[in-house]
Amino acid sequence: MENGEIPENANEHCPGPQSDSAGKSDACEGCPNQQICATAPKGPDPDVVAIAERMATVKHKILVLSGKGGVGKSTFSAQLAFALAAMDFQVGLLDIDICGPSIPKMLGLEGQEIHQSNLGWSPVYVESNLGVMSIGFMLPEPDDAVIWRGPRKNALIKQFLRDVYWGELDFLVVDAPPGTSDEHISIVQCLDAGSIDGAIIVTTPQQVSLIDVRKEVSFCKKVGVQVLGIVENMSGLCQPVMDFKFLRMTEAGEQIDVTEWAREHLKERAPEFLSIIACTEVFDSSRGGAEKMCREMGVPFLGKVPLDPQLCKAAEEGRSCFVDQKCGVSAPALKKVIDKMMENQGLSRMLVDNNA
Amino acid sequence: MENGEIPENANEHCPGPQSDSAGKSDACEGCPNQQICATAPKGPDPDVVAIAERMATVKHKILVLSGKGGVGKSTFSAQLAFALAAMDFQVGLLDIDICGPSIPKMLGLEGQEIHQSNLGWSPVYVESNLGVMSIGFMLPEPDDAVIWRGPRKNALIKQFLRDVYWGELDFLVVDAPPGTSDEHISIVQCLDAGSIDGAIIVTTPQQVSLIDVRKEVSFCKKVGVQVLGIVENMSGLCQPVMDFKFLRMTEAGEQIDVTEWAREHLKERAPEFLSIIACTEVFDSSRGGAEKMCREMGVPFLGKVPLDPQLCKAAEEGRSCFVDQKCGVSAPALKKVIDKMMENQGLSRMLVDNNA
């Protein structure tokens, strides 16, 4: 009966567990929850009140969601946090993927620990204006499995929101696990849907991912969270021709590495290829991809980001893709997506104020 | 207190809710669960008994797990089911990803519905020896979000195991969502860990995925499910050179499509390239990938499957990759993985019997 929901096994005319007549009304006769309802404290959940107080110093809250896993949601969250911090905002990044926290690694913070102060739990800081909180910082062994059912996950999320001392934040970016289950219901209920700026949904162009994005959009509509937009990630793989390896298949079906020969051969016969980029669709987007879906569902399309092995590498190594030229194929696309979101939300003005 | 677990809020010397003295022992004095424990029926969960009866006609049960999402777990499950069915086994494929069911699409069964018979729920059949069950068949609208907390998901999984009439099965393949939470605990408890042949864990070569695989292996060890082996999926992207598109970057950073020119140019200047395959690592595997991790953790390595856009397409279209030559880069690798698993488990013998 968290947050005053009517339990599934309640009697037909249940007055609601928050009502003054809870457990005492005629309708409660014989209900399995009667005793709990009659004796439980009424009124708003004190945790939600404490969370609202804690969040009073946070200007903007952005959820990063995905329907399917492995679409690059955490990579996006991490790079969004890096980008906002590079704009001189005060940024917090909260990882609520309890069973598979990848944020510590993607921010280069593996092995770090959380410290307690009299103000609450201290986030782990990448830089003075980029703090991070994740269950990944709380595991004694990195291989340990977190085998938790929903209620324990919900309790930890509540604790993250209530007990972490973020200080003054311009942005709190919340990286959620894929799907629409406990973590998602909890974060929206705890933060209060109305106080969340909105959600960015990350997808790949493949149909199986787009189907799940539709579910995610339905979820946002149902709980009253605005969809800030959809990002199509891994939208084709692009890489300089010379970065590829080359194989030849023998008649017996064996693969022989001919990379050296191929590169030399190209240099000699077709040197124009040294500066050419080769691209391929990894996921079939012949049915229109995310852009078409956005039109159909009436939500903003924020742009496409190609699958860039260099971006994967930056994520693995916990680096920002914006500080050097290595992610030349993906970083400009990511930046465009973030700028568009900021502009749509009228947040670009903050940037001007920041630089004033 | 599902399955006799000791509740988290129990008193210190809780005798266990299944014990005869539950709710009546001295230790129960003042425990919030005292009344429920004292009156609840004791003994084995009748559902678990019913499930064991239902599963008596299933020879082998294989879980397909992954730590992270989007590593191709459902694609693997689908193709494993296709492969086993092509070997003339009776195969069932159960999708317990409640919030993001992709199995119906990957088996080409979108829009199908489940039928009731007096024997139970009927799976949806791809062929007479390949039946499929998923919540995807039960949603009135494909876009509908399943916004369920754990207990409801667990109840549906129980129902799938108890109420679906599979008939005689050689293999039941269970496709789980990523992670180690409600669905995973439920399936292992309901099926009884000891009756499960084991789990195949799918990963990509990237560190963030391998970290989560370690958690998945820990989970299997903890609950007593054998790890049949690890599959490294998306292990580099391979594709004929002529299938790529080619771009040239202008000095202003604009990309110009030069595919036609490039293909012609190659044909003319370096025709040897017409039969060459270009490969690239999508995910950084410089730290040894899944094979090294398997050695470290003492679990079998089943092999690598390259990221093949044609396999993605087959999955999107719900086709087996084994029936034609389109997935020439990935299908042989997948087949090797499956054969190795069968051989390790002594299941290849069944195949001989089948063909006898």
Side-chain angles (χ1 to χ4, degrees):
Chain A
M1 281 179 293
E2 221 166 323
N3 293 302
E5 280 169 25
I6 292 183
E8 276 172 45
N9 59 354
N11 280 1
E12 198 173 351
H13 297 289
C14 170
Q18 288 297 323
S19 135
D20 281 338
S21 62
K24 296 166 195 161
S25 128
D26 287 350
C28 300
E29 213 52 59
C31 173
N33 309 293
Q34 184 175 17
Q35 203 189 349
I36 303 171
C37 281
T39 54
K42 302 295 182 301
D45 181 343
D47 281 335
V48 171
V49 176
I51 289 169
E53 277 169 23
R54 186 64 97 172
M55 288 292 140
T57 58
V58 177
K59 287 201 194 110
H60 298 283
K61 301 176 202 105
I62 296 177
L63 304 184
V64 182
L65 306 175
S66 76
K68 237 177 85 62
V71 299
K73 180 182 43 54
S74 296
T75 301
F76 180 82
S77 299
Q79 297 299 334
L80 172 62
F82 276 129
L84 291 170
M87 296 173 197
D88 278 338
F89 290 119
Q90 282 291 334
V91 183
L93 176 55
L94 173 61
D95 181 6
I96 60 166
D97 191 341
I98 309 296
C99 293
S102 32
I103 287 297
K105 183 165 184 62
M106 291 194 173
L107 277 289
L109 298 174
E110 265 186 309
Q112 300 274 349
E113 279 171 34
I114 293 166
H115 297 282
Q116 284 269 15
S117 79
N118 54 354
L119 294 166
W121 292 351
S122 284
V124 177
Y125 283 90
V126 182
E127 297 168 78
S128 63
N129 66 336
L130 175 51
V132 180
M133 182 55 68
S134 167
I135 193 178
F137 299 133
M138 307 164 85
L139 301 177
E141 291 293 327
D143 297 357
D144 281 354
V146 180
I147 311 175
W148 288 8
R149 287 189 184 271
R152 261 181 102 175
K153 296 195 281 191
N154 302 333
L156 182 65
I157 291 172
K158 247 188 190 176
Q159 224 171 344
F160 276 156
L161 295 173
R162 195 188 56 206
D163 296 343
V164 175
Y165 177 69
W166 296 102
E168 296 278 336
L169 283 188
D170 294 305
F171 289 96
L172 178 65
V173 177
V174 180
D175 185 48
T180 53
S181 189
D182 282 286
E183 295 87 339
H184 312 83
I185 306 173
S186 292
I187 192 83
V188 170
Q189 283 182 342
C190 288
L191 281 182
D192 177 9
S195 89
I196 300 172
D197 287 67
I200 299 175
I201 305 175
V202 184
T203 182
T204 61
Q206 32 172 190
Q207 285 294 319
V208 280
S209 178
L210 291 175
I211 291 173
D212 288 356
V213 169
R214 289 170 182 268
K215 293 184 201 298
E216 217 64 28
V217 172
S218 302
F219 168 79
C220 287
K221 288 188 178 161
K222 226 173 223 172
V223 298
V225 168
Q226 191 195 344
V227 176
L228 299 180
I230 314 271
V231 183
E232 185 178 294
N233 197 18
M234 307 193 184
S235 188
L237 178 137
C238 291
Q239 190 171 265
V241 170
M242 285 298 164
D243 287 359
F244 281 86
K245 287 172 67 181
F246 296 93
L247 301 178
R248 178 180 285 148
M249 293 281 259
T250 66
E251 280 175 24
E254 294 289 308
Q255 298 178 339
I256 303 173
D257 189 324
V258 294
T259 308
E260 265 185 57
W261 165 84
R263 286 182 185 163
E264 281 307 312
H265 200 67
L266 272 183
K267 268 185 207 162
E268 206 174 286
R269 299 287 189 86
E272 306 83 356
F273 273 83
L274 297 185
S275 61
I276 295 282
I277 294 171
C279 294
T280 182
E281 276 197 345
V282 180
F283 303 115
D284 180 29
S285 64
S286 55
R287 293 199 228 164
E291 194 164 4
K292 178 159 164 257
M293 195 210 59
C294 284
R295 279 198 303 274
E296 287 167 12
M297 299 204 82
V299 294
F301 178 65
L302 294 178
K304 298 181 182 192
V305 180
L307 178 53
D308 175 4
Q310 289 299 330
L311 179 60
C312 297
K313 210 169 148 71
E316 292 277 289
E317 293 171 359
R319 290 185 285 111
S320 164
C321 70
F322 302 109
V323 291
D324 54 31
Q325 304 305 315
K326 285 183 187 164
C327 301
V329 183
S330 55
L334 259 173
K335 190 66 178 44
K336 254 193 212 168
V337 163
I338 295 169
D339 289 346
K340 186 159 180 190
M341 184 273 294
M342 299 279 283
E343 211 181 295
N344 286 355
Q345 292 303 304
L347 296 172
S348 314
R349 257 179 299 123
M350 285 174 70
L351 201 55
V352 179
D353 297 347
N354 238 11
N355 295 334
Chain B
M1 280 178 293
E2 220 166 325
N3 293 303
E5 279 170 24
I6 292 182
E8 276 171 44
N9 59 354
N11 280 0
E12 198 173 350
H13 297 288
C14 170
Q18 288 296 324
S19 135
D20 281 338
S21 61
K24 296 165 194 161
S25 128
D26 287 350
C28 300
E29 213 50 59
C31 173
N33 309 293
Q34 184 175 17
Q35 203 188 349
I36 303 171
C37 281
T39 53
K42 302 295 182 303
D45 181 342
D47 281 336
V48 171
V49 176
I51 289 170
E53 277 169 23
R54 185 65 96 172
M55 288 292 139
T57 58
V58 177
K59 287 201 194 110
H60 298 283
K61 302 177 200 103
I62 296 176
L63 304 185
V64 182
L65 306 175
S66 76
K68 238 177 85 63
V71 299
K73 181 181 43 53
S74 296
T75 300
F76 179 82
S77 299
Q79 297 299 333
L80 172 62
F82 276 129
L84 291 170
M87 296 173 197
D88 278 338
F89 290 118
Q90 282 291 333
V91 183
L93 175 56
L94 173 61
D95 182 6
I96 60 166
D97 191 341
I98 309 296
C99 293
S102 32
I103 287 297
K105 183 166 184 61
M106 291 194 173
L107 276 288
L109 299 174
E110 266 186 309
Q112 301 274 349
E113 278 172 34
I114 293 166
H115 297 282
Q116 284 268 15
S117 79
N118 54 354
L119 294 166
W121 291 351
S122 285
V124 177
Y125 283 90
V126 182
E127 297 167 78
S128 63
N129 66 336
L130 176 50
V132 180
M133 181 55 67
S134 167
I135 193 178
F137 299 133
M138 307 164 83
L139 301 176
E141 290 293 328
D143 297 356
D144 281 354
V146 180
I147 311 175
W148 288 7
R149 288 189 184 270
R152 261 182 102 176
K153 296 195 281 191
N154 302 333
L156 182 64
I157 291 172
K158 247 188 190 176
Q159 224 171 343
F160 276 157
L161 295 173
R162 196 189 55 208
D163 296 343
V164 174
Y165 177 69
W166 295 102
E168 296 278 337
L169 282 188
D170 293 305
F171 289 95
L172 179 65
V173 177
V174 180
D175 185 47
T180 52
S181 190
D182 282 287
E183 296 87 339
H184 313 83
I185 306 174
S186 293
I187 191 83
V188 170
Q189 284 182 341
C190 288
L191 281 183
D192 178 10
S195 89
I196 300 172
D197 287 67
I200 298 175
I201 305 175
V202 184
T203 182
T204 62
Q206 32 172 190
Q207 285 294 318
V208 280
S209 177
L210 291 175
I211 291 173
D212 288 355
V213 170
R214 289 170 181 269
K215 293 185 201 297
E216 216 64 28
V217 172
S218 302
F219 168 79
C220 288
K221 288 187 178 162
K222 226 173 222 172
V223 298
V225 168
Q226 191 195 344
V227 176
L228 299 180
I230 314 271
V231 183
E232 185 177 294
N233 197 18
M234 306 193 184
S235 187
L237 178 137
C238 291
Q239 190 170 264
V241 170
M242 285 299 163
D243 287 359
F244 281 86
K245 287 171 67 181
F246 297 94
L247 301 178
R248 177 181 285 149
M249 293 281 259
T250 67
E251 280 176 23
E254 294 290 308
Q255 298 177 339
I256 303 173
D257 190 325
V258 294
T259 307
E260 266 186 57
W261 166 83
R263 287 182 184 163
E264 281 306 313
H265 200 67
L266 272 183
K267 268 185 208 162
E268 206 173 287
R269 299 287 189 88
E272 306 83 356
F273 273 84
L274 297 185
S275 61
I276 296 281
I277 294 170
C279 293
T280 182
E281 276 197 345
V282 180
F283 304 115
D284 179 29
S285 64
S286 55
R287 292 199 229 164
E291 194 164 4
K292 178 159 164 258
M293 195 209 59
C294 284
R295 278 197 303 273
E296 287 167 13
M297 300 205 82
V299 293
F301 178 65
L302 294 178
K304 298 181 181 191
V305 180
L307 178 54
D308 175 4
Q310 289 298 329
L311 178 60
C312 297
K313 211 170 149 71
E316 292 278 288
E317 294 171 0
R319 289 185 285 111
S320 165
C321 70
F322 301 109
V323 291
D324 54 32
Q325 305 305 314
K326 285 184 187 164
C327 300
V329 183
S330 56
L334 259 173
K335 190 66 178 44
K336 254 192 210 169
V337 163
I338 294 169
D339 289 346
K340 186 160 180 189
M341 184 273 293
M342 299 278 284
E343 210 182 295
N344 286 355
Q345 291 304 302
L347 296 172
S348 315
R349 257 178 299 122
M350 286 174 70
L351 201 54
V352 180
D353 297 347
N354 238 11
N355 295 334

